[in-house]
Amino acid sequence: MGAEEWARAVHASVPVRRRRPGGAFLLLAVVGLVTAVVVVALAVGRSDATASTPAADVLGRPAPPSPTAPVFDVGPMPSFRTSWDVVPPAAGAGAPATGDVMAPYGPGAGAGVTLRGFDPGNLISDQVFYDASAMSEQQIRSFIALQGAACTGELCLASRTWTLDPAAADAYCAAYPGGTGLDTAAILAQVSTACGINPQVMLVTLQKESSLLDRPTPTEANYDAAFGWHCPDVDGAAACDPAYRGFPVQAAGMAKQWSRYRVSPENYSYRSGRTYQIAWDVDPQCGAAPVTMRNTATASLYNYTPYQPNAASLAAYPGEGDQCSSYGIRNFWFLFQGYFGPGAVVGTP
């Protein structure tokens, strides 16, 4: 769900000499200090984030809190989970469902999608990504009910209600009224419309980050970090900032974050029309390959999840690739097509 990186630097204690240092010693001390600064800088530059933890954002998704800051641990996040249970496409998958919602493939959404058309530089078109009218509130509600049919208990996504605070218009989103007793569909409809984001993008991001669309027994912790927003990864687990916990805050923040990438691209790492070396994985030894961002939507996805899937990752969906595989971008691409039909991402870049 992303921005967004957690850096670690190890500081060793420096022995203190009691005698007054001479000139030569002072020179050595200065050289040692400069070396230490360079080492720390390199350590900070080498992020240890996961696929759902992009680079720090200037406006919306700041650098992760320090290790002493309060965090809550929601455990492994699906963005960098290595596999799902493989479920064959449901009978009749792709046929229109109630309210013109496409029938899902089931928990293994995207398992029936082929790699034809996968382009790391054109993951989804701007035309699709920013189509806020792609689904009505009722269509969102029907889709959520269909996906969560196996869920039981009081915490199912389709039955939860929340209070969404009203928001004034700003440079990124129009005003929206909020309200009390709003279900998931009502919240997603409000924030998607206000921020100019396709509700399908919000639904796929939700599944990519927390699997809440089809979790049979979700927990409050899943909702607290629903979109992975402000959730830097530490050793494969998301250490989330508690100031941004809760489904309404996560949903509103994610919609505005997608808009920030579009409105203020100069504040982020990746921009449309430029070519970048995109790493395969967080491990720098895995290397990188050039990707030309053909549109703003694709650049936005890399800003939130800054690793591209390698051949092993793509071939293994929804399972595990190799030691240099990442899964966030891969999962978004497969899930979007699995939920909304092959070719759903095709359009004017």
Side-chain angles (χ1 to χ4, degrees):
M1 11 214 95
E4 214 192 72
E5 313 229 19
W6 193 279
R8 302 181 182 87
V10 179
H11 301 275
S13 59
V14 178
V16 178
R17 294 182 180 270
R18 296 291 182 181
R19 64 183 179 82
R20 183 181 181 85
F25 177 79
L26 287 175
L27 178 60
L28 289 173
V30 170
V31 172
L33 178 61
V34 171
T35 301
V37 170
V38 171
V39 169
V40 172
L42 288 174
V44 172
R46 191 272 192 206
S47 61
D48 286 320
T50 66
S52 81
T53 310
D57 289 340
V58 173
L59 295 177
R61 200 165 179 180
S66 67
T68 57
V71 296
F72 64 96
D73 181 7
V74 297
M77 298 287 280
S79 267
F80 39 92
R81 181 176 60 187
T82 56
S83 64
W84 278 285
D85 293 333
V86 179
V87 177
T98 303
D100 294 324
V101 176
M102 302 301 287
Y105 285 116
V113 176
T114 68
L115 280 174
R116 182 187 307 171
F118 179 81
D119 179 352
N122 185 22
L123 298 168
I124 184 171
S125 70
D126 287 352
Q127 177 184 344
V128 172
F129 199 93
Y130 301 112
D131 182 6
S133 64
M135 297 177 80
S136 68
E137 180 179 323
Q138 184 54 48
Q139 286 176 323
I140 298 171
R141 186 170 291 113
S142 297
F143 180 83
I144 290 171
L146 194 62
Q147 289 298 314
C151 185
T152 59
E154 299 179 352
L155 298 183
C156 295
L157 186 65
S159 59
R160 294 295 303 271
T161 59
W162 293 275
T163 295
L164 176 67
D165 292 336
D170 59 20
Y172 307 105
C173 302
Y176 54 84
T180 59
L182 300 179
D183 67 0
T184 303
I187 289 177
L188 291 182
Q190 282 200 34
V191 300
S192 297
T193 299
C195 299
I197 305 301
N198 188 333
Q200 297 170 342
V201 170
M202 294 292 291
L203 289 165
V204 171
T205 304
L206 179 64
Q207 180 68 3
K208 164 182 171 285
E209 294 291 339
S210 64
S211 293
L212 274 169
L213 289 180
D214 58 23
R215 277 187 184 270
T217 54
T219 66
E220 288 293 350
N222 299 141
Y223 289 103
D224 283 343
F227 289 88
W229 192 57
H230 283 276
C231 288
D233 173 55
V234 182
D235 296 330
C240 303
D241 188 334
Y244 303 95
R245 74 193 306 171
F247 186 85
V249 173
Q250 286 277 306
M254 188 72 259
K256 181 172 284 192
Q257 188 63 55
W258 288 134
S259 182
R260 283 190 178 102
Y261 293 141
R262 175 175 56 87
V263 176
S264 302
E266 69 278 2
N267 291 325
Y268 301 99
S269 299
Y270 306 116
R271 301 172 65 173
S272 177
R274 300 183 181 183
T275 300
Y276 303 89
Q277 289 291 324
I278 304 296
W280 301 112
D281 183 64
V282 64
D283 185 349
Q285 295 184 3
C286 289
V291 175
T292 298
M293 306 293 166
R294 293 182 55 194
N295 53 53
T296 299
T298 296
S300 297
L301 288 170
Y302 282 107
N303 277 317
Y304 201 66
T305 306
Y307 306 102
Q308 63 172 312
N310 64 6
S313 174
L314 292 170
Y317 184 87
E320 182 178 357
D322 60 25
Q323 70 275 13
C324 286
S325 290
S326 62
Y327 305 95
I329 291 293
R330 178 199 76 169
N331 292 348
F332 183 95
W333 190 84
F334 273 95
L335 285 169
F336 201 102
Q337 295 212 37
Y339 286 138
F340 303 111
V345 300
V346 176
T348 304

